[in-house]
Amino acid sequence: MNIKELADKYELTKDDFWELRKNSGKWIITHDACEKIAQTEGIVFDPPVIVSYQPAVVTENGEKVQKVVYGKQKWTPAWAGTCQKKTGDVAITIVGYKKDNPDYKIESNGEANATNCTSNYYFSMALKRAQDRVILKLIDAYAWGVSSDVEADDFEKHDKPATENQRDMIHN
């Protein structure tokens, strides 16, 4: 199955996917498109299992600036010239299957941390990554070169218009 057949089968629009690099054969599909596919295929998930969790902490020159007191987070403002580093890690395992074939289950992981995620919502991103991987595995999409946009920040769609210098270079 190619990307056109996939788009036709699941009624995806041009906004639901794009080619990673021209003529690469590597297609990136949005998380929303994965949700459409799950709905169409009747894919359901067991509750996620938290494999590991390390809370996010921002440090300045090795000292914590986030403090949790009585269950509330308190942030100490950073001062100019300090080196800030964000840490934290979430790993989730999830199992999914099609309602019409509950015996065939796919398990996958989703991870999110300061080095692989620009979002501050690690649990949400880890869950999206795990679910999208299960959905794409259940429909064999990886065999066609399809990945989800939430699997890596490198997969973001870049819709920036060309600068004037870039347009001049192309026209010349």
Side-chain angles (χ1 to χ4, degrees):
M1 182 179 288
N2 62 34
I3 193 69
K4 183 175 178 356
E5 293 167 335
L6 181 78
D8 290 344
K9 181 175 181 177
Y10 298 107
E11 299 179 16
L12 304 180
T13 68
K14 62 180 176 141
D15 295 328
D16 290 323
F17 60 91
W18 63 92
E19 195 169 14
L20 184 59
R21 283 178 296 284
K22 191 165 177 83
N23 299 320
S24 68
K26 178 76 172 167
W27 293 92
I28 308 304
I29 192 169
T30 66
H31 173 71
D32 291 343
C34 287
E35 294 279 336
K36 289 179 191 177
I37 292 168
Q39 184 71 31
T40 301
E41 291 287 343
I43 296 172
V44 292
F45 301 98
D46 290 343
V49 175
I50 299 169
V51 177
S52 71
Y53 169 61
Q54 182 181 41
V57 176
V58 176
T59 61
E60 288 181 29
N61 298 328
E63 295 184 25
K64 293 181 182 178
V65 290
Q66 176 192 37
K67 296 178 183 159
V68 179
V69 180
Y70 302 112
K72 295 185 179 179
Q73 294 179 352
K74 178 182 175 191
W75 291 87
T76 304
W79 7 292
T82 61
C83 175
Q84 289 193 354
K85 181 180 179 186
K86 185 173 180 182
T87 64
D89 181 74
V90 174
I92 294 175
T93 297
I94 197 160
V95 174
Y97 54 91
K98 294 181 183 180
K99 288 180 191 175
D100 63 354
N101 189 8
D103 294 330
Y104 180 69
K105 296 184 176 194
I106 295 287
E107 179 180 298
S108 192
N109 297 316
E111 311 83 8
N113 59 49
T115 62
N116 70 10
C117 181
T118 56
S119 168
N120 291 326
Y121 305 101
Y122 294 159
F123 269 103
S124 296
M125 187 57 70
L127 186 60
K128 282 181 175 183
R129 288 175 175 172
Q131 287 177 336
D132 285 6
R133 288 173 180 152
V134 167
I135 292 165
L136 295 176
K137 285 179 182 181
L138 281 169
I139 65 165
D140 294 326
Y142 286 112
W144 317 318
V146 177
S147 296
S148 168
D149 66 337
V150 297
E151 291 188 70
D153 286 340
D154 294 345
F155 293 169
E156 287 182 3
K157 189 174 187 178
H158 300 287
D159 286 336
K160 293 192 289 189
T163 65
E164 195 164 326
N165 286 344
Q166 289 171 329
R167 286 193 297 267
D168 289 345
M169 257 183 8
I170 290 170
H171 291 291
N172 293 334

